[in-house]
Amino acid sequence: MALTITDVRAICTAPQRIPLVVVRVDTSEPGLYGLGCATYTQRFLTVAHAVDTYMKPLLVGKDPTRIEDIWQMAMVSPYWRNGPILNNAISGVDQALWDIKGKMANMPVYELLGGKVREGVRVYRHADGKTLEEVGDRMQAFMEDGVQVVRVQWGGYGGNAGGKMQNVNLPPEGACEGAYYDPLQYQLSVTKLFDYIRNRFGFGIELCHDVHEHLDPIEAVRLARELEPYRLFFYEDSLAPEQIEWFRIMRQQTCTPIAMGELFNNPREWTPLIAEKLIDYIRVHTSQIGGITPSVKLAHFCEAFSVRTAWHGPGDVSPVGHAANIHMDLALWNFGIQEWSGFNQASLDVFPGCPELRKGYVYANDKPGLGIDIDEELAKKFPCDERLPQWTNCRRPDGTLQRP
Ligand code: MG
């Protein structure tokens, strides 16, 4: 009997209080199934619905070993494509199929991708705080744990310190609620932060910073120049995807290394930035672009232009998605760095087999496939919060909504 897909379904859980979507693909061989990450936290119910109502009927009866063909078919079947909802649903299936293929081959996925080119995956951690000392103390704790690269942020993205920033300019009467921040005060605070960190720790540690598209393009260019003396590892998402043409200007103006792409959905967004050598690190959210299959192609494309990978790895990637990233990181020669947000105990319990961080490097286990499982009964004890996110309601001093 030929092997076929018998079921495809979404599992939603939030062991770290962040809604996650995991896809399970079952096959006609008893006990042979795969898991994939389809997490789009802010609209998780819609992705789960797409998996259950469209992916399942599309895939039941198909051969699970035909990963490329299934990926292409899932992408064009709805005719309209490259949107975040369906890309995540496709990713859940794609990663699960790689997991299944690894189990069939009795090999970890990194072996299927060509084998290890490194033993561990170097990661960066995120140090935030309301005061400079707090940021520095958190950074010191990471350094004592062996972490070699830290992303430093003073007061959250845009420097608004949890919405309590003292704006120089007050909003107009009757202004909307929101996460207010002041672009000028933010820019000034970033150079102050880097000055403090380099004075306290010197240059024995690598530093990143995430602008999170909080600045106008010319402001982002100016800040990149001002940060040059502090020798950043990279300067992250300084422009909104709608403004990527500005990277041509930024590249001519500064040698601060540039990382971009966690919001990208469409190959047309990253292709010019890579082909024109305008960025140094591509940091797509790998489930957002459709899983392992397109991410490996993207990494190989980057290799020809000396662009390295830095896959997005926040809390709104499931442990299954983190495992998929780590397997790719182990096998891709032009890997650069991996963002690592860490797991709480509940995540470790719900997802047996999580990759492990030790002394600045993350290690995959050597089990077949992605090496990670889900305890579905336990997952039910951590239901997802269906409220809309508030942090995306980000506003400038005059009350104008800003991209978050
Ligand atoms: Mg980011």
Side-chain angles (χ1 to χ4, degrees):
M1 278 285 283
L3 187 69
T4 56
I5 294 171
T6 53
D7 196 14
V8 178
R9 61 193 169 85
I11 304 160
C12 297
T13 183
Q16 216 144 313
R17 293 189 165 175
I18 301 170
L20 306 173
V21 185
V22 171
V23 172
R24 174 169 162 146
V25 174
D26 282 283
T27 72
S28 53
E29 185 177 318
L32 179 61
Y33 63 92
L35 298 175
C37 181
T39 301
Y40 176 2
T41 290
Q42 291 78 5
R43 294 294 184 271
F44 69 96
L45 288 171
T46 315
V47 175
H49 188 260
V51 170
D52 294 342
T53 55
Y54 290 106
M55 287 298 168
K56 179 178 174 178
L58 183 68
L59 298 178
V60 165
K62 299 281 191 310
D63 176 354
T65 66
R66 297 184 61 166
I67 300 175
E68 178 72 25
D69 187 59
I70 286 177
W71 190 90
Q72 298 288 350
M73 183 186 63
M75 187 56 78
V76 299
S77 163
Y79 185 44
W80 276 279
R81 53 190 178 270
N82 291 315
I85 302 291
L86 291 179
N87 275 7
N88 271 288
I90 292 167
S91 165
V93 168
D94 178 76
Q95 293 185 6
L97 296 182
W98 281 98
D99 192 23
I100 289 170
K101 195 176 277 280
K103 288 174 177 173
M104 291 174 73
N106 199 27
M107 286 180 184
V109 167
Y110 63 73
E111 292 288 2
L112 305 183
L113 300 178
K116 284 183 183 175
V117 292
R118 57 188 64 79
E119 295 307 313
V121 172
R122 190 159 84 138
V123 298
Y124 76 79
R125 303 301 309 266
H126 177 97
D128 200 339
K130 287 193 175 167
T131 63
L132 292 173
E133 292 70 26
E134 212 171 271
V135 181
D137 291 349
R138 288 188 181 155
M139 191 168 139
Q140 182 154 2
F142 285 135
M143 289 167 72
E144 284 165 8
D145 276 347
V147 172
Q148 301 168 20
V149 189
V150 181
R151 184 173 68 192
V152 289
Q153 308 285 143
W154 183 12
Y157 298 124
N160 70 348
K164 291 188 172 53
M165 184 164 181
Q166 298 81 20
N167 283 342
V168 175
N169 301 300
L170 294 172
E173 295 166 9
C176 295
E177 290 283 301
Y180 277 79
Y181 77 105
D182 185 312
L184 174 58
Q185 299 312 311
Y186 162 55
Q187 290 168 69
L188 299 172
S189 78
V190 176
T191 41
K192 215 168 163 183
L193 167 66
F194 276 86
D195 212 44
Y196 171 82
I197 294 289
R198 282 300 186 210
N199 275 317
R200 179 166 163 183
F201 298 101
F203 283 80
I205 180 97
E206 299 272 16
L207 300 175
C208 305
H209 182 75
D210 189 353
V211 176
H212 230 272
E213 51 179 359
H214 274 63
L215 296 176
D216 280 343
I218 198 67
E219 296 170 337
V221 173
R222 178 167 46 207
L223 184 58
R225 288 178 57 145
E226 287 172 350
L227 291 176
E228 280 178 3
Y230 306 103
R231 292 280 184 128
L232 267 63
F233 185 85
F234 65 53
Y235 181 63
E236 175 177 335
D237 283 14
S238 55
L239 300 171
E242 294 85 349
Q243 300 295 345
I244 54 175
E245 289 78 8
W246 276 82
F247 279 116
R248 296 191 186 103
I249 294 166
M250 189 177 290
R251 201 56 152 179
Q252 289 165 7
Q253 293 286 329
T254 179
C255 54
T256 289
I258 297 165
M260 179 63 190
E262 72 187 52
L263 285 160
F264 286 168
N265 299 292
N266 188 318
R268 298 309 301 167
E269 294 173 299
W270 59 72
T271 300
L273 299 187
I274 296 161
E276 292 180 48
K277 304 177 204 63
L278 300 178
I279 61 171
D280 302 279
Y281 295 88
I282 185 74
R283 49 176 285 98
V284 299
H285 191 98
T286 57
S287 71
Q288 184 82 2
I289 71 164
I292 293 172
T293 297
S295 299
V296 168
K297 291 179 187 180
L298 168 56
H300 290 167
F301 174 56
C302 285
E303 186 182 319
F305 299 95
S306 289
V307 174
R308 294 179 187 274
T309 64
W311 309 134
H312 192 221
D316 48 357
V317 168
S318 74
V320 176
H322 283 288
N325 287 344
I326 295 299
H327 279 263
M328 288 189 280
D329 297 338
L330 286 169
L332 292 169
W333 178 74
N334 59 320
F335 160 78
I337 193 81
Q338 178 61 57
E339 179 179 13
W340 193 251
S341 47
F343 304 126
N344 66 1
Q345 191 56 49
S347 297
L348 295 170
D349 294 341
V350 170
F351 294 98
C354 283
E356 280 178 37
L357 172 65
R358 296 192 298 273
K359 297 285 170 202
Y361 293 93
V362 168
Y363 300 86
N365 62 50
D366 296 324
K367 290 180 188 152
L370 293 173
I372 191 164
D373 209 341
I374 184 168
D375 180 335
E376 290 195 53
E377 284 311 305
L378 192 56
K380 286 179 192 158
K381 294 188 177 155
F382 302 99
C384 297
D385 183 343
E386 294 176 15
R387 280 174 300 183
L388 290 168
Q390 295 305 309
W391 66 270
T392 48
N393 184 14
C394 192
R395 291 181 187 274
R396 290 196 165 219
D398 72 348
T400 305
L401 197 72
Q402 170 70 21
R403 299 195 187 283

